[in-house]
Amino acid sequence: MSEKKTSEDFTIEKIDTDILVIGGGTAGCYAAEYIGENSGYRVVVAEKADIKRSGCLAAGVNALNAYISGGHTPKDYVEYARKDAEGIVRDDLLLTIAEKVNAVTRDLEKKGLVILKDRDGNHVTRGWRNVKINGENIKPLLAENVYSQKNVRVINHINITDLKYQKKDQSSHGGQKAKASEDKSGDLRNGKITGAFGFSIRERKFYEINARAVLVATGGAAGLYRPNNPGFSRHKMWYPPFNTGAGYAMGIRAGAEMTTLENRFVALRCKDTIAPTGTIAQGVGAKQLNSKGEIYETKYGITTPERIYGTVEEKRAGRGPCYLKTEGISKEAEEDLYKAYLNMAPSQTLKWIESGKGPSEENVEIEGTEPYVVGGHTAGGYWVDTERRTTLNGLYAAGDVAGGAPQKYVTGALAEGEIAAKTIIADLDKNTGSRPVGEFTEDTGIRSNGDLTETENSSVPEIADGDVFFKYKKHFTEAETPLTCEQAEEAMQKIMDEYAGGIATDYRYNETGLDIASTRIADLVKLSDTLKADDIYDLLKIYELKDRLTVCLALIAHMKARKETRWHIFGENADHPEKDEKYSCYVNSVLRDGKIQVLYRSLVKDTPESLNRR
């Protein structure tokens, strides 16, 4: 396919497809595979990295943390997640996930995932919600199944920045303009998502992808706050540092409704390596211990936020550092820990080996990470119905970006990917009346690109839709600014850390600080438009910063709106240190006219049909 060069040596590739999946992680891969196996619709998977080693499963994982066993039921899982989140969950969403987690586990096993078995052939579990696996190859396995689908095209190394939005009053069906209407929930439904814009991170190429349905399946948001290990080691964090909240940001900018962003996630992790602690706590039954040798977890509770809260409080009281008590475990148990961490966090095993002291000889020091926004562990993300439709027509969400259903982990993300895929197929079938049968070839689904020049004004509205591509180009022609992108990012993290409840303040925040944070983050948003890019990698870093800043502003608005402390550490409001049942509701938001508007919605319980709005 020939591509016409621009004066600045950029090209535009325009792609037509039936379904665009943004993000080739856990949920995205499973959704694409399902659509490929169960329909003839053409699918494009747009992935910033490479789907063989991208997302939260890039390095592997040693357990599937949402698997129901021991005579328990999906309703038990819903109850567990609801209790852990202090009631602010979507029961209906959780139930649809819990009903599928065992089935997707069996499916992965059939496809080659090694699930550990005991001598009787039963799965080796840790408690009733967890099954052990050899998961170093889990992501390549998912990718292989995507690549095997003839009607799925994968575009690796592409950064999607903006959703295409077509207003009904800008296009006519049957020659008549549709009027904007407002449904009973207050959401404006005056258009449709029709694709997305992005750019290659390997070459000077911009993309316009047109699609009849778009699934956002990107990761959550890391790097909003100053991390545990700044500077050279800042990449050593709990959540992938390349997950910038892009999926949230593009939805926020397009006017999608978001929910429960204020339910941040702070992980309890091994100090320095930021390796998971659950493997030790569950694997060898290790208790949390302070510097005086006192077990403190019974004092604060053992839910996810309570474990972190106890650790922070013990340190504040001068009884730190804190540990997981592993000293004295058997050599066999120690070997199991070495192997387990090699599957997902090898730095922890290497630290033990380099120090000359394994966990059987020395307790493991623990600490909390910086806060994240991630719908796979807590409840922040898109407001969706049980079929994973968002509040924007044509847009769906699954995995870490879908809100309302915490504790979904790997299998929950797979389940949501399948649910969203089924919905998209059904919605397209309904609109077309029949399914197409086709596959991607060298030329199928691709139209010739246009020239990115301002003189060809007739092509601008069609190609750029709000001058998205010209905004990309502007960063290459903009004069030098006082700050580099890296300095602006560090400024953002410092603001969030000090004024919006980061490590520096023991995760506490108040309204005065949030107001300061909001003002200063807004200033950085303006500055980000003037940052200069010398190459395509610089452009990537600028847009990652823009996405993080967008999420920061929405997060701050949510934190201000929940005037209580329902989740210790996750939402530690110093102005309102107690739980207030008046806020037994969802805090939602929508960006309208450039301002984030907060909405309060009543809790949804046990009724999977209650939020199916269409």
Side-chain angles (χ1 to χ4, degrees):
M1 183 185 69
S2 63
E3 292 178 337
K4 188 176 179 181
K5 298 288 184 177
T6 70
S7 57
E8 288 82 10
D9 200 29
F10 280 97
T11 61
I12 298 173
E13 182 171 339
K14 296 181 70 176
I15 300 173
D16 286 335
T17 186
D18 296 309
I19 301 162
L20 170 62
V21 177
I22 302 174
T26 311
C29 278
Y30 208 66
E33 178 195 343
Y34 185 90
I35 296 168
E37 289 181 346
N38 294 278
S39 82
Y41 289 120
R42 296 169 302 164
V43 181
V44 167
V45 178
E47 165 59 45
K48 186 167 71 171
D50 187 305
I51 67 168
K52 291 182 179 179
R53 286 292 182 188
S54 65
C56 297
L57 297 184
V61 65
N62 70 354
L64 299 177
N65 291 328
Y67 177 83
I68 301 169
S69 62
H72 289 271
T73 68
K75 287 187 176 181
D76 293 332
Y77 199 89
V78 173
E79 180 60 31
Y80 145 71
R82 186 197 302 124
K83 181 179 179 182
D84 207 66
E86 297 290 343
I88 309 301
V89 296
R90 285 275 301 280
D91 286 14
D92 53 345
L93 300 181
L94 281 167
L95 186 59
T96 61
I97 290 172
E99 289 172 340
K100 285 182 173 291
V101 291
N102 284 22
V104 297
T105 301
R106 290 191 295 269
D107 183 53
L108 283 181
E109 188 171 25
K110 289 178 183 177
K111 290 171 178 172
L113 181 68
V114 177
I115 300 181
L116 302 188
K117 304 284 183 64
D118 60 22
R119 293 180 179 179
D120 298 324
N122 299 314
H123 288 159
V124 178
T125 60
R126 295 191 311 210
W128 65 270
R129 303 185 305 271
N130 184 298
V131 62
K132 291 184 177 182
I133 66 172
N134 284 342
E136 188 277 338
N137 70 330
I138 188 170
K139 196 65 208 301
L141 187 153
L142 288 170
E144 180 182 344
N145 284 286
V146 173
Y147 281 120
S148 69
Q149 307 304 316
K150 293 182 179 180
N151 55 332
V152 177
R153 177 188 179 191
V154 177
I155 306 177
N156 289 313
H157 312 303
I158 175 176
N159 186 52
I160 300 294
T161 64
D162 293 272
L163 297 169
K164 286 193 70 176
Y165 185 74
Q166 185 181 65
K167 292 182 179 180
K168 287 184 180 178
D169 57 10
Q170 289 180 336
S171 64
S172 60
H173 299 276
Q176 295 183 359
K177 293 183 178 180
K179 295 180 179 180
S181 61
E182 189 167 331
D183 74 356
K184 61 183 179 181
S185 65
D187 300 315
L188 289 174
R189 299 193 178 277
N190 61 346
K192 187 179 188 298
I193 298 300
T194 59
F197 296 97
F199 57 86
S200 168
I201 65 171
R202 292 289 181 88
E203 54 185 328
R204 295 167 76 87
K205 179 187 287 188
F206 300 153
Y207 286 89
E208 178 188 3
I209 304 175
N210 298 304
R212 297 164 60 204
V214 177
L215 171 62
V216 181
T218 56
L224 308 181
Y225 289 79
R226 182 184 286 163
N228 293 81
N229 302 304
F232 178 78
S233 297
R234 62 182 180 271
H235 62 284
K236 289 185 178 180
M237 57 174 62
W238 165 73
Y239 200 61
F242 313 107
N243 284 354
T244 62
Y248 297 136
M250 65 182 72
I252 292 168
R253 289 192 289 262
E257 186 171 338
M258 296 287 157
T259 188
T260 326
L261 299 179
E262 76 281 5
N263 186 202
R264 307 176 303 170
F265 184 72
V266 178
L268 185 64
R269 288 298 183 258
C270 302
K271 186 170 172 38
D272 299 327
T273 63
I274 314 301
T277 55
T279 299
I280 301 173
Q282 296 178 16
V284 299
K287 302 294 184 182
Q288 291 175 232
L289 200 71
N290 64 22
S291 61
K292 297 181 179 296
E294 301 164 338
I295 294 173
Y296 63 83
E297 63 183 44
T298 52
K299 187 194 311 184
Y300 300 95
I302 57 173
T303 65
T304 304
E306 287 170 344
R307 286 183 178 277
I308 303 158
Y309 177 59
T311 302
V312 172
E313 287 299 292
E314 289 297 299
K315 288 183 177 180
R316 291 183 75 217
R319 295 188 289 271
C322 295
Y323 306 88
L324 282 173
K325 189 180 186 310
T326 58
E327 189 176 341
I329 64 172
S330 68
K331 287 296 180 181
E332 182 181 5
E334 183 175 67
E335 285 296 318
D336 286 344
L337 289 179
Y338 285 151
K339 293 175 183 177
Y341 280 103
L342 284 174
N343 268 336
M344 59 171 177
S347 58
Q348 183 59 38
T349 299
L350 292 175
K351 181 180 180 181
W352 282 323
I353 293 172
E354 288 172 357
S355 69
K357 290 185 177 181
S360 67
E361 302 173 75
E362 188 174 73
N363 294 326
V364 178
E365 188 175 350
I366 56 178
E367 64 181 352
T369 63
E370 78 276 18
Y372 305 90
V373 179
V374 51
H377 283 67
T378 45
Y382 281 88
W383 181 248
V384 295
D385 65 19
T386 55
E387 308 304 320
R388 273 47 180 191
R389 300 181 186 92
T390 72
T391 56
L392 297 180
N393 289 313
L395 185 66
Y396 307 76
D400 277 354
V401 292
Q407 317 291 5
K408 68 182 69 158
Y409 306 120
V410 175
T411 49
L414 296 172
E416 283 201 319
E418 180 179 312
I419 293 167
K422 286 182 176 179
T423 303
I424 291 170
I425 292 172
D427 286 352
L428 292 185
D429 283 352
K430 183 178 179 181
N431 292 332
T432 60
S434 62
R435 294 184 187 176
V437 178
E439 61 185 69
F440 275 110
T441 62
E442 186 66 25
D443 296 317
T444 300
I446 303 174
R447 290 188 279 120
S448 62
N449 60 298
D451 193 316
L452 184 60
T453 61
E454 296 191 47
T455 57
E456 294 185 356
N457 291 327
S458 60
S459 67
V460 171
E462 178 189 352
I463 294 175
D465 191 14
D467 298 333
V468 173
F469 293 159
F470 292 124
K471 288 180 181 178
Y472 296 165
K473 283 182 60 179
K474 184 180 177 184
H475 289 287
F476 291 95
T477 58
E478 193 68 47
E480 292 286 353
T481 53
L483 293 181
T484 65
C485 184
E486 183 172 348
Q487 289 169 336
E489 182 176 285
E490 290 178 353
M492 172 195 70
Q493 292 176 343
K494 185 176 189 296
I495 291 165
M496 295 297 289
D497 187 47
E498 296 180 357
Y499 297 106
I503 295 171
T505 61
D506 291 327
Y507 310 103
R508 285 163 170 77
Y509 54 85
N510 58 36
E511 192 159 340
T512 300
L514 292 176
D515 285 339
I516 294 172
S518 182
T519 299
R520 295 187 180 179
I521 293 296
D523 289 341
L524 285 178
V525 170
K526 296 176 184 176
L527 182 142
S528 70
D529 289 333
T530 67
L531 292 172
K532 181 175 175 58
D534 291 325
D535 53 33
I536 205 73
Y537 180 74
D538 285 346
L539 186 65
L540 170 66
K541 300 308 293 181
I542 289 169
Y543 270 85
E544 288 183 331
L545 172 64
K546 286 173 176 281
D547 289 338
R548 286 184 167 118
L549 290 169
T550 296
V551 176
C552 283
L553 287 175
L555 171 60
I556 291 167
H558 277 247
M559 292 165 72
K560 286 179 64 175
R562 185 171 289 280
K563 300 182 186 301
E564 64 164 354
T565 296
R566 182 166 294 262
W567 313 284
H568 282 304
I569 303 304
F570 290 10
E572 197 78 42
N573 191 328
D575 286 337
H576 306 278
E578 304 296 330
K579 185 192 297 186
D580 186 345
E581 289 308 315
K582 181 172 65 177
Y583 289 93
S584 288
C585 61
Y586 309 112
V587 174
N588 289 10
S589 67
V590 177
L591 182 67
R592 290 178 181 161
D593 299 322
K595 296 182 180 180
I596 296 171
Q597 298 183 12
V598 170
L599 311 167
Y600 294 94
R601 297 204 182 280
S602 301
L603 295 182
V604 177
K605 290 182 175 293
D606 301 321
T607 53
E609 297 81 17
S610 61
L611 257 74
N612 288 341
R613 297 176 180 167
R614 298 174 180 81

